Amino acid sequence: MAAEPPLDAVGSPRKGRVIRFLVAVLILGSPLFPQSRSSEQARLTAAQIAFNAGHWEETATLAQGQADQSPELDLLAGLALARLEKWSEAKQAFETGLRKAPKDPRFSVELAGTAYQQKDFRTAKERLRKALDLNPQDAYSREFLATIYFLDGNLEAALKYWNPEDKPRLGSVAFAPSLQLKESLRSRALAFNAPQILTGDALLATQSRLDNLGVFSNRRIELTPSESGNYDLTLHLAERNGWGDSKVEGLVSLLSGLPYATIYPELYNLGRAAVNLTSLARWDPEKRRVSLALSLPLYGDPRLRLRLYADARNENWNLEQTFFGAGTPLTDLNMRRAAVGAELRSAVNDRWSGSVGVEIADRNFRNLSGHTSPAERAFFSGATSVAEWLRVVRTLVRVPERRFTLDSLAEAKAGREFRDGLGSFATLRGSLRAHWFPRAKGDDYEMNAQIQAGATAGKATLDELFELGVERDNDLWLRGHAGTFDGRKGAAPLGRRFFLANWEVDKNIYQNGFFTVKFGPFLDNGAVADSSGLFGSRRWLWDTGAQCKVRVLQSLTIVVSYGRDLRGGRNVFYGTVLR
């Protein structure tokens, strides 16, 4: 066994510790030498020497002193205690220093490190964002913050902080499983490729193009570090081909509307070219309907999609509770409507999308009696119409760190009814929709809030009015108001002007490989009016209740809701399938 070196050996670690200890005692600890700026500087120097030598206990002892000592000593004390994995004590030292030097970003960075070690990732992110507010050019803080978001599975937020450092560089891009979609469409759908830097804009643009193709029922983008220092990107896409992604999915999709006398025959990705044929057939004796739509990428560009459609309806209406005309109540009104149209949708970039379209429609009404005034006849006049529309969707706010988005929609529609007493009409409609996942990862909780409003100028027939209520052919849901009465439409309030606000929260309560079940409360508020006085809600409506959503095979969602009209006291149980 080697002999222990003497105390006066040159370069002996023991000699260095003894000298520093004597210096600390003689200069700092002796009552003959009160604390001064020079003594504090000497202690700081001794602590820094000990820290550089890796003597963490000694550094912590030298750096801990009076409450009003220099924040540099608090920083060294915190760093030494962190090396000793005394996270709570290190946090206390850094917080003390931060109170003395609130504009020094080093304390926020180190507090983020201690929070991370204590698995408090939320605090770590808050501290790092504060550090970047103080020093926006700090590459270490950006890298640290990006890494935490990456581990959370929040790729969009990670890219926000990686991209200024020209990261992450892609080593490869692959699809899993392999796709039947044509290679030309596949490659044009991607706004990135190896060995490029993956940017947030490219990620969002790619997601928008994939959605616009209409052949993927589910998607997930995975980024994996590789040994080269780059990242491998894998797109996990559930591709629908023919009847669906699988025979089971195709059968479920086809028969999902059987409870309300409807089937949905559909064919996807025909010719491997993202050509989709969708249809609906409903044999409900009160609401017969047949529709057919063909959609395809225009010029082989995933950003442009053309949709051609035809729709025919034969519906019975009961307007006894919603039409305020003076004649005989309209309890057995029949409306027949046929329409053909074309729509061109464009995914412009990661924030903008839009569509333009045109529709020719013809409708006629039967079983009318006693409603002969010009104001009443306008709503029930058989006529042929031509209408064009322009719709723009814009993302106003994206806060990926908070997993929050605010989207807007604006739509202008103009047309003409070719019938005496009708003529031209125009409609403006807009909405704001907020979407938020409160938790840092996963979708255990999800909140949606939406405000919509619209108005029509000119005369309009019954099928052009806004309707507030739950009904399968209506998208303005007031969930405590049924859209039908004994199966016939017309139970929900109608009019040419409306306002609607919806709020809901969903909580995951069960999940497996086949379906996901969510449950949560909702609150709806709205009103509808008409200048003729023949339609309208005549007061503000408030509905509340709860709903259950069952996501099946990641391709369709079954919604079952219970809503209560807080003013009228009525209860509505409703179920449908969202596609």
Side-chain angles (χ1 to χ4, degrees), residues 54 115-116 129 143 177 186 188 257 306 348 370 384 419 480 503 572:
Y116 181 82
R129 286 195 293 266
E143 175 71 23
R186 214 182 312 168
R188 294 186 72 178
L306 177 65
V348 179
T384 299
R419 175 90 180 222
W503 173 88
V572 175

Side-chain angles (χ1 to χ4, degrees), residues 98 101-106 108 129-136:
L98 181 62
K103 294 186 178 181
D104 189 336
R106 295 177 299 172
S108 294
R129 286 195 293 266
K130 177 63 176 177
L132 284 172
D133 288 342
L134 296 170
N135 183 12

Side-chain angles (χ1 to χ4, degrees), residues 205-348:
T206 297
Q207 293 174 340
S208 178
R209 295 175 192 179
L210 292 173
D211 291 342
N212 204 41
L213 283 170
V215 296
F216 301 113
S217 59
N218 188 34
R219 56 172 166 77
R220 179 172 61 88
I221 298 178
E222 180 183 19
L223 199 64
T224 307
S226 64
E227 294 181 358
S228 65
N230 295 332
Y231 288 79
D232 297 324
L233 188 145
T234 305
L235 295 101
H236 299 271
L237 304 174
E239 185 182 38
R240 288 181 288 196
N241 293 285
W243 293 103
D245 185 35
S246 65
K247 292 182 179 179
V248 173
E249 179 182 328
L251 189 62
V252 169
S253 178
L254 173 67
L255 304 179
S256 60
L258 277 182
Y260 44 92
T262 306
I263 57 172
Y264 298 95
E266 298 171 336
L267 291 171
Y268 291 95
N269 203 20
L270 299 175
R272 301 172 53 231
V275 177
N276 301 334
L277 184 66
T278 59
S279 63
L280 174 157
R282 182 191 300 152
W283 59 91
D284 182 332
E286 305 293 352
K287 300 185 293 292
R288 294 184 179 90
R289 182 182 179 187
V290 177
S291 69
L292 179 68
L294 176 71
S295 65
L296 68 158
L298 198 61
Y299 307 119
D301 189 344
R303 294 172 298 181
L304 299 174
R305 189 164 192 84
L306 177 65
R307 177 174 173 264
L308 306 173
Y309 66 90
D311 184 87
R313 307 184 190 192
N314 184 346
E315 301 171 341
N316 295 321
W317 289 62
N318 183 344
L319 298 174
E320 183 179 7
Q321 300 177 5
T322 53
F323 179 65
F324 308 117
T328 305
L330 295 173
T331 59
D332 191 29
L333 176 68
N334 177 260
M335 184 189 75
R336 297 183 179 184
R337 184 182 191 273
V340 293
E343 179 184 33
L344 176 62
R345 294 199 303 255
S346 173
V348 179

Side-chain angles (χ1 to χ4, degrees), residues 508-527:
N508 279 353
I509 59 176
Y510 181 78
Q511 189 171 10
N512 61 25
F514 185 76
F515 58 85
T516 300
V517 181
K518 297 186 175 187
F519 182 83
F522 65 79
L523 177 66
D524 300 334
N525 166 236

